[in-house]
Amino acid sequence: MFESVAAAPADPILGLTAAFRGDPRPAKINLSVGVYQDETGKTPLLACVHEAEQRLAASSGSKSYLPISGSAEYCAAVAELVLGTEHEAIAAKRIAAAQTPGGTGGLRVAADLIHATFPGATVWLSEPTWPNHPNIFAAAGVPTKTYPYFDAPGNRLDIEAMLAAIGKMPAGDVLLLHGCCHNPTGVDPTPPQWKQIADAAANAGVLPLLDFAYQGFAEGITEDAAGLVEFCRPGAELLACSSFSKNFSLYNERVGALLAIAPTAEAACAVQSQINKVIRSNYSNPPAHGAQIVNTVLRDAELRQQWEGEVAAMRDRINGMRTSLVEALADAGVPGDYSFMTRQRGMFSFSGLTKDQVAKLKDDHAIYIVGSGRINVAGLTPSNVAHVAECIRQVVT
Ligand code: LMR
């Protein structure tokens, strides 16, 4: 049977990292996958994570199964991190939640939940979006459509077109939004725009689904949740997927969460049972270790403070590299004004480079960026930024 199987295309992001690993050129640079690297090019183990792991190793934890939805303590810590400790939805017990294998796992559980409970719903994705979004919903049998988001010539959010599109979405559909640090554009709504989007979604009767993979990478832990919290009005409904890959640098532990905010505590119980049902037939129950680390850090005042400092340091380094890249492009004599890159938020810069220019960067210079022109700014360092800028000059001129 396997002889008739056709090969699947390489993943547009992780496939590049696989190709990068196999590239024998010594000066190669990987600016494709969204993984933070420090100024020496290493993906750090955060000090707060190291300390939490020491504590966990010293306590004799059991390796028995977790509940289907994972650790309730961890889920509560995530809800408080995302919504703030005082949020009405927490007090009203309107939240169903699950510990999931990464943010992607949370999205897949959300997709299965939508398929099981709202079989007629379409999920609306921003144009452009993370290339794995359409795959996840397609795998769950959920149809997707796109709404306008990015105004490429203006390097800005096309808020007018976005609001008009939301106004035309059928009630009962799902509106997927990036909680902060839009992937791939780095262009987020402003607080007043978030309010307009939340109003438009409420008027249209669509269910917001917030993909929240970069909390802390735009402005701060609390500040970055402001858009998401705008949707959590009294009685309002929401799905949110958190990831701790980036802000805890826990990429290979696969730790994330799905939150579902329901209008009442009774509805939340029913939604929880449906979430548990889809998890049971998928991966049964989640892996424990990453969530134990996150829970340990979030619940210890000292470690929590240390974590916030470490997130701020990663954010500051990325923003510093944005400025360095814009300066290096000017110094290299690249034509055009790239100052828009300093206004983009999160790990990525949507450079505007064409597919051909991206291919030339890889083929001629061993510099890997995503086909959409997305550069992982968190992979730039003081010692490679001038070289990257010079190579960009060569492919654009
Ligand atoms: C990215 O967009 O590079 C990250 O979210 C990693 C991934 O899984 O694609």
Side-chain angles (χ1 to χ4, degrees):
M1 287 165 76
F2 290 154
E3 279 186 345
S4 63
V5 174
D11 182 81
I13 296 177
L14 297 187
L16 282 172
T17 295
F20 176 83
R21 287 201 186 102
D23 190 329
R25 292 173 288 181
K28 61 187 178 177
I29 300 174
N30 187 5
L31 304 176
S32 59
V33 67
V35 174
Y36 176 85
Q37 292 165 29
D38 63 19
E39 59 191 20
T40 69
K42 259 185 40 204
T43 299
L45 176 67
L46 299 189
C48 64
V49 167
H50 184 64
E51 173 59 26
E53 288 195 305
Q54 303 292 317
R55 293 187 193 177
L56 289 166
S59 68
S60 55
S62 162
K63 298 283 184 189
S64 181
Y65 289 127
L66 287 176
I68 293 174
S69 56
S71 151
E73 225 194 355
Y74 163 83
C75 289
V78 175
E80 290 185 2
L81 179 71
V82 170
L83 297 174
T85 43
E86 306 297 320
H87 200 280
E88 166 275 329
I90 297 176
K93 301 193 184 320
R94 294 201 286 121
I95 307 180
Q99 169 186 333
T100 58
T104 305
L107 284 164
R108 179 57 195 264
V109 173
D112 285 339
L113 176 74
I114 291 165
H115 186 255
T117 51
F118 312 120
T122 291
V123 174
W124 292 82
L125 307 173
S126 64
E127 174 55 47
T129 194
W130 182 47
N132 210 23
H133 278 150
N135 300 340
I136 291 167
F137 294 101
V142 177
T144 54
K145 288 186 180 154
T146 60
Y147 61 87
Y149 185 85
F150 186 59
D151 165 26
N155 274 297
R156 61 183 268 281
L157 172 64
D158 193 346
I159 184 72
E160 299 81 12
M162 181 182 181
L163 292 174
I166 295 172
K168 292 196 204 114
M169 289 174 191
D173 276 1
V174 178
L175 171 62
L176 192 150
L177 298 152
H178 300 226
C180 66
C181 307
H182 183 270
N183 180 2
T185 67
V187 173
D188 288 338
T190 60
Q193 288 172 338
W194 275 118
K195 187 170 179 317
Q196 288 178 294
I197 296 166
D199 288 343
N203 289 338
V206 294
L207 176 65
L209 164 50
L210 276 284
D211 183 355
F212 201 28
Y214 296 90
Q215 186 175 7
F217 274 68
E219 279 175 46
I221 305 291
T222 309
E223 294 85 340
D224 291 359
L228 187 156
V229 171
E230 184 63 52
F231 289 89
C232 305
R233 299 168 178 176
E237 304 183 345
L238 173 99
L239 290 169
C241 299
S242 278
S243 166
F244 299 109
S245 297
K246 328 279 172 170
N247 54 14
F248 274 83
S249 198
L250 280 173
Y251 302 89
N252 67 15
E253 294 294 354
R254 311 307 301 136
V255 50
L258 169 66
L259 303 177
I261 303 186
T264 62
E266 295 71 35
C269 277
V271 171
Q272 184 72 59
S273 71
Q274 293 290 346
I275 290 174
N276 292 2
K277 187 168 176 236
V278 299
I279 290 174
R280 177 63 172 142
S281 60
N282 188 339
Y283 54 86
S284 192
N285 51 76
H289 186 64
Q292 284 175 335
I293 295 169
V294 171
N295 188 51
T296 302
V297 172
L298 293 181
R299 289 182 179 281
D300 181 284
E302 210 176 303
L303 290 182
R304 164 82 188 231
Q305 203 186 356
Q306 185 176 26
W307 173 61
E308 296 208 9
E310 294 191 277
V311 174
M314 291 193 278
R315 180 173 66 237
D316 291 347
R317 194 191 92 71
I318 297 171
N319 286 334
M321 289 320 302
R322 284 188 182 286
T323 309
S324 300
L325 177 60
V326 173
E327 285 167 6
L329 290 168
D331 291 349
V334 180
D337 175 11
Y338 283 85
S339 61
F340 65 84
M341 286 181 170
T342 59
R343 295 188 292 277
Q344 296 172 336
R345 291 145 55 100
M347 276 190 170
F348 305 119
S349 186
F350 209 44
S351 65
L353 292 175
T354 64
K355 276 211 164 356
D356 285 349
Q357 291 164 344
V358 171
K360 269 173 112 44
L361 272 182
K362 172 158 89 64
D363 297 343
D364 299 353
H365 302 286
I367 295 175
Y368 288 68
I369 71 170
V370 176
S372 61
R374 189 194 82 173
I375 296 174
N376 176 24
V377 181
L380 290 171
T381 67
S383 50
N384 69 20
V385 67
H387 171 69
V388 169
E390 170 54 22
C391 294
I392 290 177
R393 186 192 67 75
Q394 290 184 30
V395 303
V396 301
T397 53

